PDB file of all heavy atoms in Angstrom:
ATOM      1  N   VAL A   4      -5.501  12.759   9.638  1.00  0.00           N
ATOM      2  CA  VAL A   4      -5.197  11.428  10.153  1.00  0.00           C
ATOM      3  C   VAL A   4      -6.488  10.856  10.727  1.00  0.00           C
ATOM      4  O   VAL A   4      -7.150  11.489  11.551  1.00  0.00           O
ATOM      5  CB  VAL A   4      -4.105  11.484  11.245  1.00  0.00           C
ATOM      6  CG1 VAL A   4      -3.840  10.091  11.794  1.00  0.00           C
ATOM      7  CG2 VAL A   4      -2.826  12.094  10.691  1.00  0.00           C
ATOM      8  N   GLY A  14     -16.848   2.537   8.317  1.00  0.00           N
ATOM      9  CA  GLY A  14     -17.294   1.191   7.958  1.00  0.00           C
ATOM     10  C   GLY A  14     -18.755   0.948   8.264  1.00  0.00           C
ATOM     11  O   GLY A  14     -19.406   0.126   7.628  1.00  0.00           O
ATOM     12  N   ASN A  17     -21.060   6.029   8.443  1.00  0.00           N
ATOM     13  CA  ASN A  17     -21.100   7.418   8.887  1.00  0.00           C
ATOM     14  C   ASN A  17     -20.986   8.321   7.658  1.00  0.00           C
ATOM     15  O   ASN A  17     -19.983   8.291   6.942  1.00  0.00           O
ATOM     16  CB  ASN A  17     -19.955   7.677   9.867  1.00  0.00           C
ATOM     17  CG  ASN A  17     -19.882   9.113  10.350  1.00  0.00           C
ATOM     18  OD1 ASN A  17     -19.777  10.041   9.560  1.00  0.00           O
ATOM     19  ND2 ASN A  17     -19.904   9.279  11.663  1.00  0.00           N
ATOM     20  N   LEU A  23     -15.757  12.780   3.797  1.00  0.00           N
ATOM     21  CA  LEU A  23     -14.343  13.119   3.936  1.00  0.00           C
ATOM     22  C   LEU A  23     -13.488  12.236   3.022  1.00  0.00           C
ATOM     23  O   LEU A  23     -12.607  12.723   2.305  1.00  0.00           O
ATOM     24  CB  LEU A  23     -13.899  12.970   5.393  1.00  0.00           C
ATOM     25  CG  LEU A  23     -12.427  13.228   5.680  1.00  0.00           C
ATOM     26  CD1 LEU A  23     -12.063  14.684   5.416  1.00  0.00           C
ATOM     27  CD2 LEU A  23     -12.113  12.859   7.119  1.00  0.00           C
ATOM     28  N   LEU A  35      -5.496  11.756   3.245  1.00  0.00           N
ATOM     29  CA  LEU A  35      -5.957  10.987   4.402  1.00  0.00           C
ATOM     30  C   LEU A  35      -4.911   9.946   4.764  1.00  0.00           C
ATOM     31  O   LEU A  35      -4.361   9.272   3.888  1.00  0.00           O
ATOM     32  CB  LEU A  35      -7.276  10.275   4.098  1.00  0.00           C
ATOM     33  CG  LEU A  35      -8.482  11.136   3.807  1.00  0.00           C
ATOM     34  CD1 LEU A  35      -9.707  10.252   3.586  1.00  0.00           C
ATOM     35  CD2 LEU A  35      -8.745  12.108   4.937  1.00  0.00           C
ATOM     36  N   PRO A  38      -3.037   5.408  10.391  1.00  0.00           N
ATOM     37  CA  PRO A  38      -1.932   4.781  11.125  1.00  0.00           C
ATOM     38  C   PRO A  38      -2.190   3.285  11.293  1.00  0.00           C
ATOM     39  O   PRO A  38      -3.314   2.874  11.611  1.00  0.00           O
ATOM     40  CB  PRO A  38      -1.949   5.494  12.477  1.00  0.00           C
ATOM     41  CG  PRO A  38      -2.712   6.763  12.245  1.00  0.00           C
ATOM     42  CD  PRO A  38      -3.697   6.448  11.167  1.00  0.00           C
ATOM     43  N   TRP A  40      -1.504   1.071  13.540  1.00  0.00           N
ATOM     44  CA  TRP A  40      -2.030   0.578  14.815  1.00  0.00           C
ATOM     45  C   TRP A  40      -3.468   1.015  15.040  1.00  0.00           C
ATOM     46  O   TRP A  40      -4.233   0.324  15.720  1.00  0.00           O
ATOM     47  CB  TRP A  40      -1.123   0.978  15.967  1.00  0.00           C
ATOM     48  CG  TRP A  40       0.081   0.097  15.969  1.00  0.00           C
ATOM     49  CD1 TRP A  40       1.337   0.420  15.553  1.00  0.00           C
ATOM     50  CD2 TRP A  40       0.117  -1.286  16.327  1.00  0.00           C
ATOM     51  NE1 TRP A  40       2.162  -0.685  15.643  1.00  0.00           N
ATOM     52  CE2 TRP A  40       1.432  -1.740  16.121  1.00  0.00           C
ATOM     53  CE3 TRP A  40      -0.835  -2.187  16.792  1.00  0.00           C
ATOM     54  CZ2 TRP A  40       1.822  -3.048  16.379  1.00  0.00           C
ATOM     55  CZ3 TRP A  40      -0.440  -3.487  17.054  1.00  0.00           C
ATOM     56  CH2 TRP A  40       0.871  -3.903  16.846  1.00  0.00           C
ATOM     57  N   GLU A  48     -12.534  -4.021  16.417  1.00  0.00           N
ATOM     58  CA  GLU A  48     -13.916  -3.659  16.745  1.00  0.00           C
ATOM     59  C   GLU A  48     -14.885  -4.025  15.628  1.00  0.00           C
ATOM     60  O   GLU A  48     -15.999  -4.440  15.884  1.00  0.00           O
ATOM     61  CB  GLU A  48     -14.023  -2.165  17.043  1.00  0.00           C
ATOM     62  CG  GLU A  48     -15.421  -1.785  17.494  1.00  0.00           C
ATOM     63  CD  GLU A  48     -15.520  -0.391  18.056  1.00  0.00           C
ATOM     64  OE1 GLU A  48     -14.514   0.130  18.565  1.00  0.00           O
ATOM     65  OE2 GLU A  48     -16.621   0.168  17.986  1.00  0.00           O
ATOM     66  N   THR A  52     -12.585  -3.830   8.506  1.00  0.00           N
ATOM     67  CA  THR A  52     -12.342  -2.398   8.374  1.00  0.00           C
ATOM     68  C   THR A  52     -10.959  -2.113   7.797  1.00  0.00           C
ATOM     69  O   THR A  52     -10.810  -1.268   6.916  1.00  0.00           O
ATOM     70  CB  THR A  52     -12.496  -1.691   9.742  1.00  0.00           C
ATOM     71  OG1 THR A  52     -13.831  -1.896  10.214  1.00  0.00           O
ATOM     72  CG2 THR A  52     -12.211  -0.215   9.648  1.00  0.00           C
ATOM     73  N   ALA A  53      -9.938  -2.811   8.281  1.00  0.00           N
ATOM     74  CA  ALA A  53      -8.570  -2.553   7.830  1.00  0.00           C
ATOM     75  C   ALA A  53      -8.418  -2.813   6.334  1.00  0.00           C
ATOM     76  O   ALA A  53      -7.858  -1.988   5.609  1.00  0.00           O
ATOM     77  CB  ALA A  53      -7.576  -3.394   8.624  1.00  0.00           C
ATOM     78  N   ASP A  66       2.998   3.116   8.112  1.00  0.00           N
ATOM     79  CA  ASP A  66       3.694   2.077   8.858  1.00  0.00           C
ATOM     80  C   ASP A  66       4.280   2.670  10.136  1.00  0.00           C
ATOM     81  O   ASP A  66       4.454   3.879  10.257  1.00  0.00           O
ATOM     82  CB  ASP A  66       4.819   1.478   8.020  1.00  0.00           C
ATOM     83  CG  ASP A  66       4.297   0.730   6.815  1.00  0.00           C
ATOM     84  OD1 ASP A  66       3.192   0.169   6.895  1.00  0.00           O
ATOM     85  OD2 ASP A  66       4.999   0.703   5.790  1.00  0.00           O
ATOM     86  N   LEU A  69      10.757   3.403  13.726  1.00  0.00           N
ATOM     87  CA  LEU A  69      11.399   3.354  15.039  1.00  0.00           C
ATOM     88  C   LEU A  69      10.975   4.522  15.917  1.00  0.00           C
ATOM     89  O   LEU A  69      10.653   4.338  17.090  1.00  0.00           O
ATOM     90  CB  LEU A  69      12.926   3.325  14.905  1.00  0.00           C
ATOM     91  CG  LEU A  69      13.697   3.339  16.226  1.00  0.00           C
ATOM     92  CD1 LEU A  69      13.299   2.147  17.106  1.00  0.00           C
ATOM     93  CD2 LEU A  69      15.179   3.349  15.964  1.00  0.00           C
ATOM     94  N   ASN A  79      -0.641   4.561  26.698  1.00  0.00           N
ATOM     95  CA  ASN A  79      -1.526   3.473  27.117  1.00  0.00           C
ATOM     96  C   ASN A  79      -2.127   2.704  25.946  1.00  0.00           C
ATOM     97  O   ASN A  79      -2.225   1.492  25.989  1.00  0.00           O
ATOM     98  CB  ASN A  79      -2.657   4.009  27.993  1.00  0.00           C
ATOM     99  CG  ASN A  79      -2.163   4.458  29.347  1.00  0.00           C
ATOM    100  OD1 ASN A  79      -1.139   3.991  29.829  1.00  0.00           O
ATOM    101  ND2 ASN A  79      -2.868   5.382  29.953  1.00  0.00           N
ATOM    102  N   ARG A  87      -1.637  10.121  17.169  1.00  0.00           N
ATOM    103  CA  ARG A  87      -1.047  11.390  17.612  1.00  0.00           C
ATOM    104  C   ARG A  87       0.327  11.589  16.968  1.00  0.00           C
ATOM    105  O   ARG A  87       0.652  12.670  16.488  1.00  0.00           O
ATOM    106  CB  ARG A  87      -0.935  11.426  19.135  1.00  0.00           C
ATOM    107  CG  ARG A  87      -0.415  12.759  19.656  1.00  0.00           C
ATOM    108  CD  ARG A  87      -0.280  12.830  21.170  1.00  0.00           C
ATOM    109  NE  ARG A  87       0.519  11.739  21.688  1.00  0.00           N
ATOM    110  CZ  ARG A  87       0.020  10.736  22.427  1.00  0.00           C
ATOM    111  NH1 ARG A  87      -1.242  10.697  22.750  1.00  0.00           N
ATOM    112  NH2 ARG A  87       0.823   9.779  22.858  1.00  0.00           N
ATOM    113  N   ALA A  91       1.667  14.656  14.135  1.00  0.00           N
ATOM    114  CA  ALA A  91       2.704  15.612  14.553  1.00  0.00           C
ATOM    115  C   ALA A  91       3.359  16.269  13.336  1.00  0.00           C
ATOM    116  O   ALA A  91       3.406  15.687  12.248  1.00  0.00           O
ATOM    117  CB  ALA A  91       3.755  14.898  15.390  1.00  0.00           C
ATOM    118  N   ILE A  93       6.000  17.380  10.643  1.00  0.00           N
ATOM    119  CA  ILE A  93       7.191  16.802  10.022  1.00  0.00           C
ATOM    120  C   ILE A  93       7.635  17.795   8.949  1.00  0.00           C
ATOM    121  O   ILE A  93       6.887  18.719   8.616  1.00  0.00           O
ATOM    122  CB  ILE A  93       6.911  15.409   9.416  1.00  0.00           C
ATOM    123  CG1 ILE A  93       5.800  15.475   8.356  1.00  0.00           C
ATOM    124  CG2 ILE A  93       6.566  14.395  10.498  1.00  0.00           C
ATOM    125  CD1 ILE A  93       5.593  14.197   7.580  1.00  0.00           C
ATOM    126  N   THR A 104     -12.072  12.243  14.166  1.00  0.00           N
ATOM    127  CA  THR A 104     -12.519  11.333  15.216  1.00  0.00           C
ATOM    128  C   THR A 104     -14.023  11.436  15.429  1.00  0.00           C
ATOM    129  O   THR A 104     -14.626  12.445  15.077  1.00  0.00           O
ATOM    130  CB  THR A 104     -11.786  11.641  16.548  1.00  0.00           C
ATOM    131  OG1 THR A 104     -12.145  10.670  17.519  1.00  0.00           O
ATOM    132  CG2 THR A 104     -12.111  13.031  17.050  1.00  0.00           C
ATOM    133  N   ASP A 106     -14.854  10.604  18.611  1.00  0.00           N
ATOM    134  CA  ASP A 106     -14.748  10.705  20.066  1.00  0.00           C
ATOM    135  C   ASP A 106     -13.770  11.826  20.405  1.00  0.00           C
ATOM    136  O   ASP A 106     -12.650  11.575  20.846  1.00  0.00           O
ATOM    137  CB  ASP A 106     -14.269   9.371  20.652  1.00  0.00           C
ATOM    138  CG  ASP A 106     -14.226   9.369  22.170  1.00  0.00           C
ATOM    139  OD1 ASP A 106     -14.695  10.355  22.796  1.00  0.00           O
ATOM    140  OD2 ASP A 106     -13.709   8.395  22.743  1.00  0.00           O
ATOM    141  N   PRO A 107     -14.186  13.092  20.214  1.00  0.00           N
ATOM    142  CA  PRO A 107     -13.264  14.206  20.430  1.00  0.00           C
ATOM    143  C   PRO A 107     -12.770  14.325  21.874  1.00  0.00           C
ATOM    144  O   PRO A 107     -11.691  14.843  22.116  1.00  0.00           O
ATOM    145  CB  PRO A 107     -14.071  15.434  20.013  1.00  0.00           C
ATOM    146  CG  PRO A 107     -15.483  15.013  20.009  1.00  0.00           C
ATOM    147  CD  PRO A 107     -15.499  13.534  19.768  1.00  0.00           C
ATOM    148  N   GLY A 108     -13.511  13.798  22.825  1.00  0.00           N
ATOM    149  CA  GLY A 108     -13.101  13.857  24.221  1.00  0.00           C
ATOM    150  C   GLY A 108     -11.800  13.127  24.497  1.00  0.00           C
ATOM    151  O   GLY A 108     -11.046  13.507  25.390  1.00  0.00           O
ATOM    152  N   ARG A 109     -11.525  12.082  23.737  1.00  0.00           N
ATOM    153  CA  ARG A 109     -10.283  11.329  23.959  1.00  0.00           C
ATOM    154  C   ARG A 109      -9.053  12.142  23.592  1.00  0.00           C
ATOM    155  O   ARG A 109      -7.948  11.814  23.998  1.00  0.00           O
ATOM    156  CB  ARG A 109     -10.303  10.009  23.193  1.00  0.00           C
ATOM    157  CG  ARG A 109      -9.978  10.173  21.745  1.00  0.00           C
ATOM    158  CD  ARG A 109      -9.791   8.992  20.864  1.00  0.00           C
ATOM    159  NE  ARG A 109      -9.953   7.675  21.399  1.00  0.00           N
ATOM    160  CZ  ARG A 109      -9.793   6.577  20.693  1.00  0.00           C
ATOM    161  NH1 ARG A 109      -9.480   6.664  19.421  1.00  0.00           N
ATOM    162  NH2 ARG A 109      -9.953   5.400  21.223  1.00  0.00           N
ATOM    163  N   VAL A 115      -2.974  17.968  19.494  1.00  0.00           N
ATOM    164  CA  VAL A 115      -3.465  17.768  18.126  1.00  0.00           C
ATOM    165  C   VAL A 115      -4.694  18.638  17.883  1.00  0.00           C
ATOM    166  O   VAL A 115      -5.416  18.979  18.811  1.00  0.00           O
ATOM    167  CB  VAL A 115      -3.830  16.292  17.840  1.00  0.00           C
ATOM    168  CG1 VAL A 115      -2.619  15.390  17.911  1.00  0.00           C
ATOM    169  CG2 VAL A 115      -4.920  15.804  18.768  1.00  0.00           C
TER     170      VAL A 115
END
Side-chain angles (χ1 to χ4, degrees):
V4 178
N17 178 303
L23 177 65
L35 296 182
W40 284 104
E48 185 169 334
T52 300
D66 294 329
L69 177 58
N79 290 335
R87 184 180 54 249
I93 59 172
T104 185
D106 184 7
R109 79 173 1 181
V115 296

